[in-house]
Amino acid sequence: MKRWLALPLICLAAPAVAAPLQLTLPQGAMVSAERAAAGTSYEMRIGPWQEDSLASQHLEGSRTDRAWRLRGNQETSLQIFAPLRAQIEAAGYAVVYECETDACGGFDFRYALDLLPEPEMHVDLGDFRYLAARRGDDWLALTVSRSSESGFVHLTNFTLQEVAAPVPATPLAAPQPSPQPQAEQTSDLGTLLEAEGAVPLDDLVFESGAAALGNNSYETLASLADYLAMHPDARVALVGHTDNSGSLAGNIALSKRRAEAVRQRLISVHGVSPAQLSAEGAGWLAPRASNLTPEGREQNRRVEAVLASTPK
C-alpha cells in the first residue's frame, strides 16, 4: 500500500477567508522551488490554445507558486493528478478548466503557462495535465507532468485583492525638476540604433509563453517605421528573446514567432517594406536580467531591433 505525505498548499488569503488548503502528495515528494509575490497580476489559463489565442482570466492580487519533484515515482501523470484534483474539489474549489496535452494545445499551451523554470519544474510536451479552479476570491492552477524517472507537480495559488495604491495627501509644494525635452527623454530610435547597433523595443508586451502582440499603439514601432521609411536601403533584423521557462529549442521557436509577429505588425500597420525586415529568435541565450525574479523574466521577454546593414 502506498504511503502519502501531507504537504501544505500555501494560499495568500485576505482576511476572513478559509485556512490554507492542505494537499496530500505521495511520500518522498520534495519541494523543488517556490516563490511569492504580493500586489501582482496573473493570467489564469481557462481554455485551450486555438489559432494563436488562449482564453485567460486576468487576476490581480497575491500569488504563490510551489513545485514538487517526486523522485523515483513510477505512477502515470493521471495517477498523480487525479488524487490532487479530488482534494481540490473536496476543499470547495470548482474546476473552471481541465485538459491533457494535445487537448490543451500541446506545445503552445505549455509555453503559455507561467511556471517555475526547469529543472525544478519539468514539463514533458507529450505528457502533461492542467487544471484551473476557483473558490470565491481564491484561484489555483495545477500542472502535473513527469520525466522517465520522476513526477513533477506545480501549483499556483492566487487570491484576488485590491492592489491600487491609496492616494497620498497633497504634499507641500516642492521645486520640480525642469522637464527634459522629448528627444532627450525617449532618445531618437534611429540615432540610437545607428550608435548602438541594437535597440530593445521595450513598450511591446509579451506574456510568458505567448507570441501574440496586442492591438496597442506602440511608439517604438512607429519610430522604427519612420526610420526605415527615411532610409530605404537599411535592413533591420527583429530578434526575439524569452525568459528561461522551458527548453532552449522551444524558446528559440517561441522567440522567433514573437519577432515575426512584430515584423508583420510593421508591414501591415506601418507600411514597412518586407524586404527591410527579417525575424530571428535567440530564446533565452541573451538575458539582460536575472531569470530568478518575475521582474527579471519580464525584462527578458522582449524583441530587439538589430541594424543588419548600414544605411547609405
Side-chain angles (χ1 to χ4, degrees):
M1 180 179 295
K2 291 184 175 65
R3 298 177 63 193
W4 296 79
L5 173 67
L7 292 176
L9 173 96
I10 298 175
C11 177
L12 292 180
V17 299
L21 177 65
Q22 300 288 324
L23 277 186
T24 300
L25 274 72
Q27 184 179 22
M30 300 294 294
V31 175
S32 56
E34 53 189 337
R35 67 186 176 193
T40 188
S41 59
Y42 177 64
E43 296 298 325
M44 179 71 69
R45 308 309 183 184
I46 57 172
W49 181 276
Q50 292 180 329
E51 299 180 354
D52 292 333
S53 65
L54 183 63
S56 299
Q57 177 67 47
H58 181 76
L59 307 177
E60 294 183 345
S62 298
R63 171 185 177 180
T64 61
D65 294 89
R66 181 173 289 188
W68 292 267
R69 183 169 185 174
L70 287 58
R71 294 186 182 275
N73 185 293
Q74 295 304 309
E75 293 185 320
T76 66
S77 59
L78 177 58
Q79 289 173 320
I80 299 170
F81 179 85
L84 302 178
R85 176 184 58 198
Q87 294 173 56
I88 290 168
E89 292 178 322
Y93 283 83
V95 175
V96 177
Y97 178 65
E98 178 182 343
C99 63
E100 183 269 334
T101 315
D102 292 337
C104 297
F107 172 95
D108 292 303
F109 183 89
R110 181 268 173 266
Y111 284 110
L113 298 178
D114 184 6
L115 304 177
L116 291 160
E118 299 265 5
E120 285 77 13
M121 179 57 197
H122 169 75
V123 178
D124 186 323
L125 294 178
D127 181 13
F128 66 87
R129 292 177 180 270
Y130 172 83
L131 175 149
R134 181 181 186 181
R135 184 184 65 187
D137 287 342
D138 296 327
W139 289 73
L140 63 79
L142 174 70
T143 304
V144 171
S145 188
R146 60 168 304 106
S147 66
S148 60
E149 299 180 351
S150 303
F152 293 85
V153 176
H154 187 287
L155 191 70
T156 297
N157 273 100
F158 205 99
T159 298
L160 299 179
Q161 293 177 340
E162 178 61 50
V163 298
V167 178
T170 303
L172 295 175
Q176 298 297 316
S178 300
Q180 296 294 320
Q182 185 66 22
E184 291 184 22
Q185 290 182 9
T186 62
S187 183
D188 179 74
L189 186 144
T191 300
L192 191 59
L193 186 61
E194 292 183 359
E196 301 292 336
V199 176
L201 307 177
D202 279 333
D203 57 345
L204 308 184
V205 178
F206 295 97
E207 293 293 336
S208 180
L213 187 61
N215 292 323
N216 300 23
S217 177
Y218 299 109
E219 183 179 346
T220 57
L221 297 189
S223 297
L224 181 58
D226 290 344
Y227 173 79
L228 291 172
M230 295 175 60
H231 301 86
D233 54 334
R235 302 292 182 270
V236 167
L238 300 165
V239 183
H241 299 264
T242 67
D243 59 32
N244 69 346
S245 299
S247 68
L248 177 59
N251 276 284
I252 287 177
L254 172 62
S255 60
K256 186 168 184 178
R257 285 166 41 215
R258 285 178 174 163
E260 181 60 32
V262 176
R263 179 176 180 271
Q264 292 301 323
R265 179 66 60 85
L266 285 165
I267 294 170
S268 62
V269 175
H270 297 279
V272 176
S273 169
Q276 290 183 274
L277 299 169
S278 64
E280 306 295 340
W284 39 253
L285 288 175
R288 60 178 179 177
S290 170
N291 279 298
L292 297 178
T293 66
E295 295 77 14
R297 289 190 293 275
E298 183 176 355
Q299 290 185 55
N300 290 334
R301 296 192 294 266
R302 69 196 190 278
V303 171
E304 293 186 355
V306 178
L307 193 59
S309 68
T310 304
K312 299 176 182 178

